[in-house]
């Protein structure tokens, strides 16, 4: 869709839309920035209500992310799937996403899970896989949503097990 077509759909004249956005990518960037800010603000709000129990907290974290993503599939695609060929968010728009990932990493550390980059890759791949399945195969349903607690338990168990194994190796090394 061209910017002229976008302008027509929002009852604007194309020259007026170009005052705000120089290109489609500029429009996508503004939408990405807005969506990333929505996620960051929602996540910050959620952090004030979370449980102190790590297992419950991990489940709540997965449910929060799942619900945020499935509540607006178009926003999810823009934020997490790179569905627009050639679009790369500007550093300004991307900054909220970077800040949100840092909050997630800090939250996991508060649960006793020090997530290495590969761990974060695993965590995001698993939860976005559930979101993708829900959006693609059961929009508005509960099929994959019902699996979030099981998946959170698996991931938390895996990461906690790795933490315990690292701690044991460190203790043996010190002896």
């Amino acid at each position: 869709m061209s910017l002229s077509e976008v302008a027509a759909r929002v009852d604007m004249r194309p020259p007026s839309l170009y005052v705000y956005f120089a290109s489609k990518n500029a429009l996508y960037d503004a939408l990405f920035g807005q969506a990333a800010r929505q996620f960051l603000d929602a996540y910050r709000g959620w952090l004030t209500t979370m449980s102190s129990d790590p297992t419950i907290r991990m489940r709540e974290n997965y449910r929060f992310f799942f619900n945020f993503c499935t509540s607006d599939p178009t926003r999810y695609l823009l934020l997490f799937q790179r569905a627009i060929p050639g679009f790369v968010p500007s550093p300004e728009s991307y900054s909220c996403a970077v800040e949100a990932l840092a909050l997630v990493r800090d939250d996991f550390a508060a649960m006793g899970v020090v997530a290495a980059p590969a761990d974060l890759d695993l965590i995001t791949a698993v939860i976005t896989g559930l979101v993708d399945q829900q959006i693609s195969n059961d929009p508005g349903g509960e099929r994959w949503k019902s699996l979030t607690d099981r998946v959170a338990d698996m991931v938390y168990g895996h990461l906690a097990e790795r933490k315990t194994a690292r701690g044991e190796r460190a203790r043996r090394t010190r002896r």
Side-chain angles (χ1 to χ4, degrees):
M1 177 181 297
S2 70
L3 274 183
S4 295
E5 292 168 314
V6 171
R9 287 191 182 196
V10 296
D11 292 326
M12 284 181 101
R13 293 184 36 224
S16 299
L17 188 59
Y18 282 103
V19 168
Y20 300 101
F21 305 105
S23 66
K24 280 195 292 187
N25 276 354
L27 176 59
Y28 298 145
D29 192 59
L31 292 169
F32 182 95
Q34 179 184 40
R37 169 62 56 197
Q38 289 170 347
F39 179 78
L40 178 60
D41 291 345
Y43 193 72
R44 279 187 181 138
W46 174 81
L47 285 172
T48 65
T49 66
M50 66 188 164
S51 170
S52 60
D53 178 277
T55 304
I56 294 170
R57 191 164 163 171
M58 181 68 81
R59 287 178 176 185
E60 291 172 345
N61 203 313
Y62 267 61
R63 284 185 222 132
F64 165 81
F65 185 81
F66 187 93
N67 291 333
F68 179 87
C69 293
T70 57
S71 70
D72 187 340
T74 303
R75 177 181 62 194
Y76 166 73
L77 289 172
L78 180 64
L79 276 176
F80 300 110
Q81 293 299 315
R82 300 286 193 242
I84 302 168
F87 169 67
V88 176
S90 68
E92 298 80 24
S93 292
Y94 199 65
S95 66
C96 286
V98 171
E99 189 175 343
L101 185 59
L103 284 176
V104 169
R105 192 178 306 112
D106 292 347
D107 186 41
F108 281 34
M111 287 184 258
V113 174
V114 179
D119 297 327
L120 287 173
D121 289 347
L122 172 67
I123 291 163
T124 58
V126 171
I127 189 60
T128 57
L130 285 179
V131 171
D132 288 345
Q133 290 287 18
Q134 188 65 55
I135 290 170
S136 299
N137 297 304
D138 190 25
E142 303 258 332
R143 182 173 176 188
W144 280 272
K145 180 179 184 173
S146 68
L147 301 175
T148 57
D149 285 354
R150 288 176 57 192
V151 168
D153 290 348
M154 285 185 342
V155 170
Y156 182 75
H158 171 74
L159 295 175
E161 179 180 295
R162 288 186 58 226
K163 177 186 168 197
T164 302
R166 282 192 302 265
E168 288 174 11
R169 280 193 303 272
R171 280 190 292 280
R172 278 183 279 182
T173 303
R174 285 191 295 258
R175 290 184 203 166

